[in-house]
Amino acid sequence: MPSVRPLFVVAGIGDGSGTGAATARLFARSGYRVALISRGPDYLNKLATELNQAGAEATAFPLDDYTPASIKSAFASIKSHWPSSPLRVAVFNAGYGVWKSFLDITEDEVRESIDTNVLAAFAFARAALLEFTKLELETPNEGGVAGDARKRGTLIFTGATASIRGNTTTSAFSASKFAIRALSQSLAKEFGKQNIHVAHVSLRTGILTDRTKSQRKDPSWEANQDVRLDPNSIAKTYLHLVEQDSSAWAWEIDLRPAHEKW
């Protein structure tokens, strides 16, 4: 394999069946070295092994938590592991959700929501942007998908319906997801002038994962692509964002299945 290949990093892969893992698989197939950041080393190592066995180059960088110090340390380890690979794509997909009546939410749950969804997003964005700003514009000979796009890098945040509106049981979750959306918009305006693309993807309904399948126990829901989001389709949208050139790129994309009521 060539010594210089573009680098893709994702934070948050869950159990390996959702958006983060699907996006890692797609970028691995698209020629990127893949750095996986997440809690839960078992799922993380399993995904890294899967990607490597498929011919990609992937390494797991497990975290005990999503504190700024842990994220900074992970990025330092990634740089040490692949010193010649320019970071071109970073996806913040980590999240913590609590769905309860406002008066039932604990201080610890609010703190965890802010720490994971807001502080970690800031730390991840800072680490990625520090790398992007050191780079020249990507060129086709790197082997990535943005060689002709006139960009230094792409930073993507995964959002949700709660990023756009609150509801009866989403006070803590929506507060933090609103913050990520505002962060992404602010960074898009600040760093676009340096040809750095920042985007927010709002995922507007249930996603087909092992977790949602076990919760719903509804084979008809699983089989009907018109009513739920597919992680592999979400990943294709993330790849498309990276492909977008500097003359027409999106800050926000709203993804929903065809039959969602909205």
Side-chain angles (χ1 to χ4, degrees):
M1 291 186 179
S3 58
V4 178
R5 296 174 66 195
L7 178 61
F8 165 89
V9 58
V10 57
I13 61 99
D15 64 3
S17 67
T19 301
T23 305
R25 293 183 182 101
L26 181 56
F27 276 87
R29 294 195 300 270
S30 300
Y32 290 78
R33 287 175 170 144
V34 174
L36 304 168
I37 298 175
S38 193
R39 294 178 290 198
D42 292 342
Y43 290 122
L44 203 63
N45 291 323
K46 182 180 178 181
L47 179 59
T49 299
E50 173 196 325
L51 296 177
N52 288 322
Q53 288 178 344
E57 285 187 76
T59 301
F61 298 89
L63 303 178
D64 292 328
D65 51 48
Y66 279 113
T67 61
S70 294
I71 291 173
K72 183 178 180 180
S73 177
F75 271 84
S77 297
I78 292 167
K79 186 67 174 178
S80 177
H81 188 74
W82 285 306
S84 64
S85 288
L87 176 61
R88 293 299 187 183
V89 184
V91 174
F92 186 77
N93 186 65
Y96 173 82
V98 52
W99 292 269
K100 288 183 177 181
S101 170
F102 176 73
L103 296 179
D104 293 331
I105 298 171
T106 67
E107 290 183 9
D108 286 342
E109 288 171 330
V110 173
R111 189 172 295 108
E112 178 67 18
S113 182
I114 293 171
D115 286 349
T116 303
N117 298 333
V118 182
L119 285 179
F122 267 84
F124 183 87
R126 179 178 176 82
L129 289 165
L130 282 171
E131 290 301 313
F132 291 161
T133 54
K134 297 174 185 176
L135 300 173
E136 299 297 326
L137 297 178
E138 185 173 344
T139 59
N141 62 13
E142 285 183 23
V145 301
D148 296 316
R150 287 192 53 78
K151 59 172 68 174
R152 287 184 165 85
T154 304
L155 171 62
I156 300 172
F157 295 88
T158 298
T161 300
S163 306
I164 309 296
R165 66 172 187 264
N167 213 324
T168 55
T169 60
T170 66
S171 53
F173 187 51
S174 286
S176 59
K177 297 303 281 187
F178 266 63
I180 292 177
R181 183 172 185 258
L183 171 65
S184 70
Q185 187 178 57
S186 299
L187 296 180
K189 292 182 176 184
E190 180 177 355
F191 289 93
K193 298 172 184 176
Q194 298 181 52
N195 288 72
I196 294 170
H197 185 185
V198 180
H200 178 265
V201 181
S202 179
L203 307 180
R204 301 300 294 270
T205 193
I207 303 170
L208 183 66
T209 67
D210 289 348
R211 187 180 194 181
T212 56
K213 286 190 286 188
S214 66
Q215 289 172 338
R216 286 177 173 266
K217 296 180 173 59
D218 183 355
S220 64
W221 178 83
E222 295 175 24
N224 187 357
Q225 71 175 35
D226 292 339
V227 300
R228 81 295 189 277
L229 287 164
D230 187 315
N232 296 311
S233 298
I234 297 168
K236 291 176 185 177
T237 297
Y238 285 21
L239 184 70
H240 174 60
L241 281 168
V242 176
E243 292 172 332
Q244 290 179 338
D245 67 58
S246 60
S247 74
W249 67 31
W251 159 59
E252 185 167 56
I253 291 181
D254 184 294
L255 288 181
R256 62 182 74 244
H259 293 186
E260 192 209 4
K261 296 178 181 179
W262 61 298

